[in-house]
Amino acid sequence: MVYLIIGIVLLIVLVPIFSVLPSARQKQQMMMRQTARAAGVAVDLTIIDDPNPDQDKYLSHTGRKIPAKLEVVAYRIQRQRGHDWQRLSDLSWCLERRLDGGWVWVTDGELLSKEMRNFLDKSTDDLPADVERIEESGHKISVYWHEKAEGDEDYVLKFLRQCAHLPLHEQPPDKGLTARK
């Protein structure tokens, strides 16, 4: 009987300790985030509006609608500003993933440079399937995703770095470089 009581006391003490330890998935996510931070990318836990809000998962057990929000991780990088950043307006753009896996422009991306728009059109398909949204606002480029597979952070980091180095605005032609006759 004494051994049974000792065993129960040990369980009462040890179970909460083991429940606090991170799972293998949480350890994987911590490693992904440390890799991103080491590369100079900010990592934040955030909530965004679900791009596909008309799903049954947004109904409570009583049938009442609940807010269509997603808990995601935001990987953010600051765009390097050129010498004329004060003269040019701040452009904000946003792409969201549709249910079929394609991408849709939420805000108008027509004012973006051709290089940036072409890059976004071509490279969004290389991003992990669990990326929900890509946006830029205030010269910060953000990728919102669920971090499902280890190693996918490499694609996201590469995407962010390439986005940050592309020009945001169309470059006006240089007037000082015209040939003189």
Side-chain angles (χ1 to χ4, degrees), residues 60-77:
S60 68
H61 297 293
T62 60
R64 190 178 320 160
K65 287 192 171 199
I66 56 177
K69 303 286 184 184
L70 286 177
E71 294 180 8
V72 293
V73 179
Y75 280 40
R76 293 187 170 104
I77 193 167

Side-chain angles (χ1 to χ4, degrees), residues 15-100:
V15 167
I17 292 173
F18 285 114
S19 67
V20 175
L21 295 176
S23 67
R25 169 101 169 103
Q26 290 169 331
K27 288 179 186 177
Q28 171 191 339
Q29 288 175 329
M30 286 188 292
M31 291 299 296
M32 292 169 73
R33 293 171 189 169
Q34 285 176 349
T35 302
R37 287 186 186 109
V41 174
V43 180
D44 302 317
L45 301 175
T46 188
I47 297 174
I48 62 171
D49 293 329
D50 190 345
N52 304 303
D54 298 328
Q55 300 177 46
D56 291 336
K57 68 180 180 180
Y58 295 113
L59 292 176
S60 68
H61 297 293
T62 60
R64 190 178 320 160
K65 287 192 171 199
I66 56 177
K69 303 286 184 184
L70 286 177
E71 294 180 8
V72 293
V73 179
Y75 280 40
R76 293 187 170 104
I77 193 167
Q78 183 74 34
R79 176 182 291 283
Q80 295 177 351
R81 299 178 187 178
H83 62 282
D84 56 353
W85 69 272
Q86 291 176 330
R87 194 170 45 90
L88 299 172
S89 64
D90 178 26
L91 288 180
S92 297
W93 53 269
C94 181
L95 287 165
E96 287 184 346
R97 190 180 295 272
R98 296 186 309 238
L99 281 174
D100 64 1

Side-chain angles (χ1 to χ4, degrees), residues 82-85 87-89 111-115 167-178:
H83 62 282
D84 56 353
W85 69 272
R87 194 170 45 90
L88 299 172
S89 64
L111 298 176
L112 291 175
S113 69
K114 289 179 187 172
E115 295 96 345
L168 183 61
H169 298 86
E170 283 293 333
Q171 300 298 324
D174 232 356
K175 295 178 184 176
L177 296 178
T178 57

Side-chain angles (χ1 to χ4, degrees), residues 77 79-80 91-95 105 108-124 134-137 139-143 159-171:
I77 193 167
R79 176 182 291 283
Q80 295 177 351
L91 288 180
S92 297
W93 53 269
C94 181
L95 287 165
W105 285 93
D108 188 20
E110 290 298 320
L111 298 176
L112 291 175
S113 69
K114 289 179 187 172
E115 295 96 345
M116 184 68 168
R117 194 158 171 86
N118 288 338
F119 174 75
L120 290 171
D121 289 340
K122 292 176 185 173
S123 63
T124 50
I134 308 162
E135 71 178 10
E136 180 171 0
S137 179
H139 297 284
K140 280 192 178 180
I141 305 164
S142 303
V143 173
F159 175 83
L160 284 170
R161 276 190 227 109
Q162 289 176 334
C163 269
H165 290 297
L166 289 171
L168 183 61
H169 298 86
E170 283 293 333
Q171 300 298 324

